Amino acid sequence: MQSAQTGNDVRIERLIEWLRDAHAMEAQAETMLNKQASRIEHYPELKARIDQHITETQNQARLIEGCLQRYDKSYSGLKDLGGKMMAMGQAMGGMMVNDEIVKGAQMGYVFENLEIASYTILIAAAEAVGDTQTKEVCERILVEEVAMADWLREHLPELTQAYLTRAAEPNVEAKR
Ligand SMILES: [Fe+2]
C-alpha cells in the first residue's frame, strides 16, 4: 500500500536522523569526559568511574555507527560531528571554577540523563520500524547510561563532602 510505505520511509528517516544525533552526542561525551578526567587530581574514585565510562562511550559510538551502516554502507560519522552538540559542550567545558569537581559531576549527571532520554526515544523509534538490531543495541547502551547516571547521583553527597573538607583546609587544592 502506497501510503503505508511512505509512512514507514518517514519513520526510518527519523530513526536515522536520531541515530546520527546519538553518534554526535557520544563523540561530544567522549571529549567532555576526557577533559574532565584529565583535570581530576584529588578524587581518584570519580576519575576511575569516568575512565570506565570513556571506554563505554567509545564502544557506544562504534555500535551506533554500526546501526547507521546497516542503512548506508558508506556511512562515516565524521560529517555528523560538528554542529548540534557544540553549544552544550561549551557550556559544560567552561567550568574551570572553584568548585569545578562538583559542577563537573553535576553536569555529568545532566548529560547522562540527556543520553538516557535519547536512547529511550531511539528504542521506541527502532521498535516502530521493526529494526530489532538497533533496538537491542540501544537497550544495551541505555543500561550503561543508567548505571553511570545512578553512580553519579549516589556519589554526589560523598563528593561534595570530600570537596568541602578539602576546601576548608588552608593550602589544600579542592577544585580538581
Ligand atoms: Fe553514552
Side-chain angles (χ1 to χ4, degrees), residues 3 11-12 28 31 35 64 79 85 116-117 121 126 141 147:
S3 62
R11 293 200 294 268
I12 287 172
Q28 191 67 44
T31 303
K35 190 171 181 182
I64 294 301
K79 58 178 179 272
M85 304 303 288
I116 287 167
I121 290 164
I141 294 174

Side-chain angles (χ1 to χ4, degrees), residues 52-102:
Q52 181 196 326
H53 199 55
I54 288 170
T55 307
E56 290 169 347
T57 298
Q58 290 163 342
N59 191 46
Q60 291 166 359
R62 275 193 296 272
L63 288 169
I64 294 301
E65 200 163 13
C67 292
L68 284 160
Q69 280 163 352
R70 283 197 295 276
Y71 289 100
D72 174 8
K73 280 191 186 67
S74 68
Y75 175 78
S76 157
L78 290 175
K79 58 178 179 272
D80 291 335
L81 300 187
K84 290 189 178 178
M85 304 303 288
M86 287 303 285
M88 178 170 273
Q90 279 161 2
M92 291 182 179
M95 288 205 160
M96 306 310 154
V97 285
N98 281 337
D99 60 344
E100 76 169 68
I101 194 74
V102 175

